[in-house]
């Protein structure tokens, strides 16, 4: 009996997992299908680029500025005596550009942008606005999910570039004003072993993170149920799933592309 019960639980779990995967696959198919009607998604994409990118600039800059300062302090005071100060610039650049810049920018924006996406679409679902769009033969996925996906794919890399630059500048300002690291040493470390693929690597991560945030949050909003309580539940679920997805994608990209960073 216990064995049969365990097998039954496993079967239900696998069936539920496949069902959830299938629903998201159909949603992704509908997003791709929405590309056939540019008149539906182009104007909304421009508006979403402002909401996701331009309106998030202050938050991204503030987070990056503190990130750069903390990274600089931690790097400088963890060095062994006798180590060249140029190593600080190298470690700061690698830490920010390859990992902390894109990752923390995406995680912070998940709370701001992702939650907003889910709440907006979820509210439209529970107030039957999406049903009204379907009644009018208007593609709701092409109008709601596709513009947010395209905007996130463009603006997350742009915000990551801004965050990386801000963090590196903040690290320099912190080092030269609060430690014994000189500007020449810091700049030498920034140039040490630098390759253009390191920037591309950072942008690839940002691109993947933007796709994860927009897809997960749009989907959770689209399937919202049970009124205002359902909107809150969907928003919380979307932020958690998107955050975990970002961490998983971060590990996958690192495992696949990290060996080529110094190539």
């Amino acid at each position: 009996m216990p064995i049969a019960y365990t097998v039954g639980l496993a079967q239900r779990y696998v069936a539920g997992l496949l069902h959830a995967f299938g629903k998201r696959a159909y949603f992704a198919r509908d997003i791709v299908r929405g590309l056939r009607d540019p008149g539906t998604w182009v104007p909304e994409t421009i508006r979403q680029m402002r909401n996701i990118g331009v309106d998030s600039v202050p938050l991204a800059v503030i987070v990056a500025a503190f990130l750069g300062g903390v990274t600089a302090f931690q790097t400088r005071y963890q060095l062994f005596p006798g180590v060249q100060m140029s190593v600080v610039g190298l470690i700061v650049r690698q830490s920010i550009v390859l990992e902390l810049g894109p990752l923390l920018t995406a995680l912070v924006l998940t709370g701001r942008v992702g939650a907003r996406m889910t709440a907006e679409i979820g509210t439209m679902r529970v107030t039957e606005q999406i049903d009204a769009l379907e009644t009018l033969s208007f593609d709701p996925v092409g109008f709601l999910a596709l513009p947010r996906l395209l905007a996130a794919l463009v603006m997350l890399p742009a915000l990551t570039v801004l965050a990386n630059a801000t963090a590196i500048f903040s690290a320099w300002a912190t080092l030269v004003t609060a430690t014994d690291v000189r500007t020449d040493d810091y700049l030498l470390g920034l140039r040490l072993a630098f390759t253009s693929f390191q920037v591309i690597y950072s942008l690839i991560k940002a691109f993947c993170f933007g796709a994860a945030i927009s897809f997960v949050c749009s989907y959770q909003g689209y399937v919202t149920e049970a009124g205002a309580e359902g909107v809150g539940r969907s928003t919380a679920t979307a932020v958690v799933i998107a955050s975990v997805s970002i961490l998983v994608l971060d590990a996958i990209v690192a495992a696949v592309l990290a060996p080529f960073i110094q190539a």
Side-chain angles (χ1 to χ4, degrees), residues 13 16 21 31 40 49 59 65 110 112 121 124 128 133 145 162 185 193-194 200 209 218 230 241 246 258 263:
Y13 176 78
F21 178 80
I31 290 178
T40 300
M49 288 176 69
L59 178 61
T110 298
R112 182 196 176 277
I121 299 177
M124 293 183 68
E128 300 182 351
L133 291 175
L162 176 63
D185 293 329
F194 175 76
I200 297 174
F209 298 161
S218 296
I241 296 177
I246 287 170

Side-chain angles (χ1 to χ4, degrees), residues 42-134:
V42 170
E44 182 66 12
T45 299
I46 296 174
R47 190 178 74 87
Q48 290 301 326
M49 288 176 69
R50 177 180 177 84
N51 293 338
I52 295 173
V54 178
D55 293 346
S56 299
V57 167
L59 178 61
V61 168
I62 291 172
V63 172
F66 282 99
L67 170 63
V70 171
T71 304
F73 269 126
Q74 292 285 1
T75 303
R76 170 62 189 91
Y77 291 113
Q78 294 302 319
L79 293 180
F80 295 103
V83 176
Q84 293 183 357
M85 290 297 102
S86 60
V87 174
V88 176
L90 171 64
I91 296 175
V92 167
R93 186 200 73 210
Q94 296 293 78
S95 300
I96 292 173
V97 173
L98 300 182
E99 185 63 29
L100 297 178
L103 180 62
L104 291 185
T105 299
L107 289 175
V108 169
L109 291 183
T110 298
R112 182 196 176 277
V113 175
R116 178 174 178 172
M117 287 183 189
T118 306
E120 287 178 345
I121 299 177
T123 301
M124 293 183 68
R125 169 61 74 183
V126 300
T127 57
E128 300 182 351
Q129 295 180 53
I130 294 179
D131 297 334
L133 291 175
E134 294 173 342

Side-chain angles (χ1 to χ4, degrees), residues 163-243:
N164 290 345
T166 302
I168 290 175
F169 177 81
S170 173
W172 166 79
T174 301
L175 289 171
V176 299
T177 57
T179 71
D180 57 346
V181 178
R182 299 179 304 172
T183 299
D184 293 341
D185 293 329
Y186 182 71
L187 294 179
L188 178 61
L190 287 181
R191 294 191 295 265
L192 186 63
F194 175 76
T195 63
S196 58
F197 183 74
Q198 294 171 9
V199 177
I200 297 174
Y201 177 88
S202 181
L203 295 179
I204 291 174
K205 280 191 173 184
F207 185 86
C208 295
F209 298 161
I213 293 172
S214 56
F215 181 83
V216 170
C217 295
S218 296
Y219 174 79
Q220 291 300 135
Y222 195 78
V223 298
T224 298
E225 298 176 350
E229 181 181 355
V231 174
R233 188 184 306 113
S234 294
T235 302
T237 302
V239 171
V240 171
I241 296 177
S243 299

